[in-house]
Amino acid sequence: MQQTTIGIIGTGNICDAYLKGAATFPGIRIIACSDVNMEVARAKAETWGIEALEVGALLADPRIDIVLNLTTPQHHVAVGLQALAAGKHVYSEKPLGISLAEATKLVAAAKAAGRRVGSAPDTFLGGVHQTARAAVDAGAIGEVVAGACYMMVPGHELWHPNPDFYYQPGGGPMLDMGPYYLTCLVNLLGPVKSVIGSSKAAYDSRTIGSGPRQGETVPVTVPTHISGILAFENGASVTITTSFDIWKHGHNHIELYGRTGSMIVADPNQFQGEIKVSEKKGDWSVVPQAHRYGDGNYRILGLAEMAGAIAEGRPHRASLELALHVLEIMEAIGVSAETGRRVDLVHGCARPAALAAEAGYGFPG
Ligand SMILES: NC(=O)c1ccc[n+]([C@@H]2O[C@H](COP(=O)([O-])OP(=O)(O)OC[C@H]3O[C@@H](n4cnc5c(N)ncnc54)[C@H](O)[C@@H]3O)[C@@H](O)[C@H]2O)c1
């Protein structure tokens, strides 16, 4: 089998999930990694039996087809542009960038280079979210008229040893976690037309809870409780709240309300879970899951699907267009919160194609 060869830039916290997940997809192979801090890259390379290369050497390596960009959000676009300039395809962790202005540079650069850009999240490709998609498309709850989403936690400083970026411009709960919820919603409902937002920050600083810097405080310079009302092109009105200010709550991650029933959607930050539907005021029942990749952490699925799409000459699903639309939604919620005005979106996107229940993502495992 032809293998697509991957080089990682950014060997921090999330890197292991990708290196582990790669084993599930025989069509891709991670051969090298790099980091501005070459000491961490070398340690990672040794653990996983791959090569550690300086960033320049990795980009110049003719064996590498796709650069997997696992740097922090502030560096996603710069590293992506470097990879495209070096003639590589690039797949980035989320968010695509920290502003729409910088992220749109990827569109022209990808076109000029004739290379693909893909972006996390890819959880919407997981079995449970494709099950939700199939149920919505089959009319399980009728036309969706409304929905509600909640991502509310006390803050990542409790577990992340270097949480600074979460509280700086480019961080915050919407840019950090919003991509999971919004990508999931666009997969289920299609693109958003306009948004209204509201935001605040409950605390001026955060205390690191683990690692060598435990006890150190980090200043908070961005809103940490952000709500939006999303008007979808299909007419649905969905509220979303993302927060680092909440200790505990009792809401579901995502609920959708249709003309004939309601749906509880699984955590969009996971590939597995349960989809429940009710008819009118009836009891909840679990929707049986036929789709593959339904139980486990496949945090490389979007990249594997992109590699398959490149090989087959078809569009990939965790696309630049989708990630740009999601970034625009998040930025627009912030703009609306600051100005007190509704913001109409200009970067639409097509709903990603649904996956067949037995789809092998181009690379049957
Ligand atoms: N940690 C998680 O559980 C998690 C989960 C899902 C997604 N993500 C996303 O993954 C990305 C990385 O998160 P993380 O937690 O691994 O961060 P991290 O800070 O642990 O690691 C990022 C690494 O990138 C390196 N880096 C930064 N800029 C670079 C550059 N220009 N060139 C080369 N190396 C560079 C840093 O030195 C660091 O080692 C973020 O976008 C985050 O939103 C993280």
Side-chain angles (χ1 to χ4, degrees), residues 123-124 126-133 148-150 180-181 184-185 188 252-256 263-277 289 294:
T123 38
F124 75 100
V128 75
H129 296 291
Q130 290 296 319
T131 297
R133 165 73 181 262
C149 309
Y150 294 95
Y180 295 110
Y181 289 73
C184 181
L185 288 174
L188 296 175
N252 285 304
H253 296 281
I254 300 179
E255 293 187 359
L256 295 180
M263 175 181 284
I264 300 173
V265 180
D267 182 351
N269 186 18
Q270 303 292 331
F271 292 86
Q272 72 273 25
E274 268 182 354
I275 303 298
K276 289 183 184 165
V277 293
Q289 184 178 311

Side-chain angles (χ1 to χ4, degrees), residues 289-343:
Q289 184 178 311
H291 288 75
R292 289 182 64 188
Y293 303 116
D295 189 18
N297 185 356
Y298 300 104
R299 219 169 271 263
I300 197 168
L301 182 49
L303 172 59
E305 197 273 341
M306 182 170 104
I310 293 167
E312 292 166 14
R314 60 171 169 80
H316 58 287
R317 289 175 168 86
S319 67
L320 174 57
E321 185 196 33
L322 174 59
L324 201 65
H325 181 58
V326 164
L327 180 60
E328 185 184 22
I329 297 169
M330 298 189 291
E331 187 168 289
I333 290 171
V335 169
S336 174
E338 272 172 35
T339 60
R341 289 166 190 264
R342 188 186 73 185
V343 177

Side-chain angles (χ1 to χ4, degrees), residues 9-14 35-36 40 55 70-73 75-76 79 93-94 159-160 165 176 180 299:
I9 299 185
T11 50
N13 231 275
I14 195 62
D35 199 289
V36 275
V40 297
V55 173
L70 303 182
T71 61
T72 36
H75 302 278
H76 285 175
V79 169
E93 248 305 335
K94 53 76 194 168
W159 60 272
H160 199 297
F165 72 90
D176 177 42
Y180 295 110
R299 219 169 271 263

Side-chain angles (χ1 to χ4, degrees), residues 189-267:
L189 304 176
V192 172
K193 196 171 59 171
S194 64
V195 307
I196 294 168
S198 164
S199 70
K200 62 170 284 186
Y203 309 99
D204 309 335
S205 68
R206 300 289 180 134
T207 305
I208 300 177
S210 69
R213 296 170 63 204
Q214 185 170 14
E216 203 181 302
T217 57
V218 173
V220 174
T221 60
V222 291
T224 48
H225 185 91
I226 304 167
S227 298
I229 303 171
L230 316 172
F232 281 79
E233 277 181 13
N234 73 354
S237 173
V238 179
T239 55
I240 179 168
T241 296
T242 60
S243 182
F244 288 156
D245 294 350
I246 306 295
W247 284 109
K248 191 172 170 171
H249 67 86
H251 298 287
N252 285 304
H253 296 281
I254 300 179
E255 293 187 359
L256 295 180
Y257 314 115
R259 288 191 187 275
T260 63
S262 297
M263 175 181 284
I264 300 173
V265 180
D267 182 351

